[in-house]
Amino acid sequence: MEFSQYNVNSLMYITPRPEIVFTEGSGMWLTDNNGKRYLDYLQGWAVNCLGHSPAVITDALIAQSKKLLNPSPAFYNGPMVELATQLTQHSCFDRVFFTNSGAEANEGAIKLARKWGQLNKNGAFEIITFDHGFHGRTLATMSASGKPGWDKLFAPQVSGFPKADLNDIASVEALITDKTVGVMLEPVQGEGGVIPATREFMQALRALTKKHGILLIVDEVQSGMGRTGELFGYQLSGIEPDIMTLAKGIGGGVPLGALLCKEAVACFVPGDQGGTYNGGPLMTAVGIAVLKELTTPGFLDSVKEKAQYLSDELNKLSAEFGMQGERGEGLLRALKLGDNIGPQIVEAARNMEPVGLLLNSPRPDLLRFMPALNVTKEELDQMLRMLREVLKQVKK
Ligand SMILES: *Cc1c(COP(=O)(O)O)cnc(C)c1O
């Protein structure tokens, strides 16, 4: 079907979109309304950790949808209990609350920390967050985010989120008062431009928060579920946070998130937290299927190997075209372009023929790569060849 036959103006305009409509996806590939194929390095924004429509997910959806869709959040269901059990077995956390998105998981983390502050810290409620951090698009999570301009966008903000600088422990310490209940950060700032918190910073944050008796909250919506080569990003630095949030990868493409905490922090009582769809068996059944793949022996090792390969090859491209190197953790990486040519590269790559390449430029001087974690070396090579062609055009 021609693009002009789609009445896209019945949608709210929230972002400029190219004039194509995607109709099918398989693994690292997407197909549009004209039958053109694209090698996809967005994967639903680091969501499709096993690629588009993997059999393990479609099988789980079909099987569960024939058994039970939604008994109500007032009752237990099998997949909800099973996935919570497995997440606690694979992490340092003891309790899980399921959500439908990352923002909702973070909103829950903020509520949990404030409740804990009421019970244990004289009503302390401030959560120190970071400049350029991203925690979602609800009012509280936008306020917790450090995106330039967001403090004015839907003013007034939810108060209580002073901002520190990532990888600068003194900037955090300077903000701690008797109102502080915790510190929240992404182990790798994703939307901010793929900026990893250093191992030393994460360890210093753990020591500092322990010293002051406040909570360490990690937003692993983007860095969790194998993305960094460890199952969770906090494991890179060998620390144990008090609260963690997950979304994106945990559903492999379906809306699923989670709020996890240590037993000592699990202070919600009936009435504090809930939601109609939270912990429904259809989505948690998918979470079980995804986690099973990620924890198959050898899977995370292969993520680490491919991450090293991608990092080495991006550095070679950078040297060849006089760019500024690359950074990231695991299969969440960014190429530092040196010039504001990101949007131009994204467009030229998408328009390549006969197949296009889908890339993301979170900042104009940066390209971000978030392939499926089961991407093959051949699919990495094909992307690198296509990117090299585009760079030859754009850089000449
Ligand atoms: C995407 C993202 C969110 C928001 O998740 P949604 O599912 O879009 O609400 C929050 N935090 C981080 C780190 C993210 O990358």
Side-chain angles (χ1 to χ4, degrees):
M1 187 156 122
E2 285 296 315
F3 181 76
S4 58
Q5 292 174 264
Y6 291 91
N7 180 23
V8 295
N9 291 330
S10 50
L11 289 166
M12 283 196 198
Y13 180 67
I14 55 141
T15 187
R17 292 174 168 130
E19 297 200 337
I20 45 182
V21 178
F22 286 111
T23 53
E24 275 173 60
S26 173
M28 280 294 291
W29 292 88
L30 273 175
T31 305
D32 75 10
N33 56 306
N34 298 311
K36 180 177 167 183
R37 297 175 76 230
Y38 302 80
L39 186 55
D40 180 13
Y41 273 75
L42 266 59
Q43 290 293 333
W45 237 250
V47 163
N48 307 324
C49 57
L50 302 173
H52 289 282
S53 295
V56 288
I57 292 186
T58 56
D59 289 351
L61 279 170
I62 291 165
Q64 186 58 43
S65 68
K66 289 180 178 170
K67 275 191 218 156
L68 179 63
L69 284 179
N70 193 355
S72 138
F75 300 118
Y76 293 119
N77 69 70
M80 158 210 264
V81 176
E82 175 65 21
L83 182 57
T85 303
Q86 290 189 15
L87 285 170
T88 57
Q89 281 168 354
H90 286 287
S91 72
C92 67
F93 302 99
D94 307 302
R95 298 273 184 166
V96 184
F97 171 77
F98 291 110
T99 68
N100 306 289
S101 72
E104 192 190 1
N106 287 332
E107 192 82 21
I110 294 163
K111 284 169 65 176
L112 186 63
R114 286 188 174 192
K115 181 77 197 268
W116 184 86
Q118 287 174 1
L119 296 172
N120 299 287
K121 297 287 282 182
N122 265 327
F125 65 93
E126 285 191 353
I127 299 174
I128 298 170
T129 58
F130 291 83
D131 266 333
H132 303 290
F134 180 81
H135 299 295
R137 290 176 177 278
T138 62
L139 281 174
T141 56
M142 284 184 81
S143 305
S145 299
K147 245 175 124 102
W150 273 21
D151 50 337
K152 304 269 157 35
L153 196 49
F154 298 109
Q157 282 197 299
V158 176
S159 59
F161 299 101
K163 301 289 181 304
D165 297 323
L166 191 69
N167 293 327
D168 177 353
I169 195 73
S171 77
V172 181
E173 188 149 30
L175 293 174
I176 296 179
T177 68
D178 57 5
K179 289 205 187 73
T180 310
V181 73
V183 178
M184 176 160 88
L185 83 165
E186 302 156 83
V188 184
Q189 283 190 346
E191 303 311 299
V194 191
I195 306 170
T198 65
R199 313 293 198 259
E200 300 71 38
F201 182 70
M202 292 298 283
Q203 289 157 6
L205 259 189
R206 180 66 283 187
L208 183 67
T209 48
K210 212 164 234 165
K211 182 177 128 196
H212 288 272
I214 57 177
L215 303 172
L216 179 59
I217 306 166
V218 286
D219 174 352
E220 298 237 21
V221 169
Q222 193 158 151
S223 62
M225 302 308 289
R227 184 55 52 185
T228 66
E230 299 293 337
L231 194 54
F232 306 112
Y234 74 82
Q235 294 168 326
L236 290 168
S237 47
I239 59 150
E240 293 195 356
D242 302 296
I243 297 177
M244 172 171 78
T245 56
L246 297 172
K248 295 203 166 95
I250 191 176
V254 306
L256 177 65
L259 164 64
L260 299 91
C261 73
K262 296 267 202 181
E263 186 66 41
V265 184
C267 58
F268 281 148
V269 295
D272 286 350
Q273 185 67 325
T276 305
Y277 296 112
N278 297 51
L282 190 62
M283 298 307 143
T284 46
V286 172
I288 293 167
V290 168
L291 187 59
K292 182 160 178 250
E293 288 296 303
L294 303 190
T295 53
T296 299
F299 186 92
L300 292 175
D301 290 331
S302 83
V303 172
K304 286 179 200 158
E305 277 164 35
K306 287 178 292 194
Q308 186 60 54
Y309 180 72
L310 177 58
S311 168
D312 292 345
E313 294 299 313
L314 288 175
N315 272 320
K316 284 186 206 164
L317 268 187
S318 171
E320 181 181 347
F321 289 95
M323 298 182 290
Q324 295 180 347
E326 67 93 50
R327 68 176 171 230
E329 295 281 6
L331 285 175
L332 179 59
R333 312 211 70 86
L335 178 62
K336 296 188 273 178
L337 300 166
D339 301 306
N340 290 340
I341 52 174
Q344 207 185 329
I345 293 175
V346 166
E347 180 144 348
R350 194 181 62 239
N351 290 334
M352 284 176 101
E353 295 288 351
V355 298
L357 169 63
L358 299 178
L359 294 171
N360 166 247
S361 173
R363 285 176 13 191
D365 62 347
L366 211 69
L367 288 180
R368 173 171 50 172
F369 303 88
M370 354 176 215
L373 302 182
N374 57 4
V375 62
T376 63
K377 184 169 169 294
E378 289 68 37
E379 289 160 341
L380 288 171
D381 285 335
Q382 184 167 3
M383 180 277 287
L384 290 158
R385 274 197 309 275
M386 291 174 82
L387 177 57
R388 190 165 175 277
E389 284 309 306
V390 175
L391 284 167
K392 279 202 289 195
Q393 286 170 36
V394 171
K395 284 282 210 175
K396 77 168 175 242

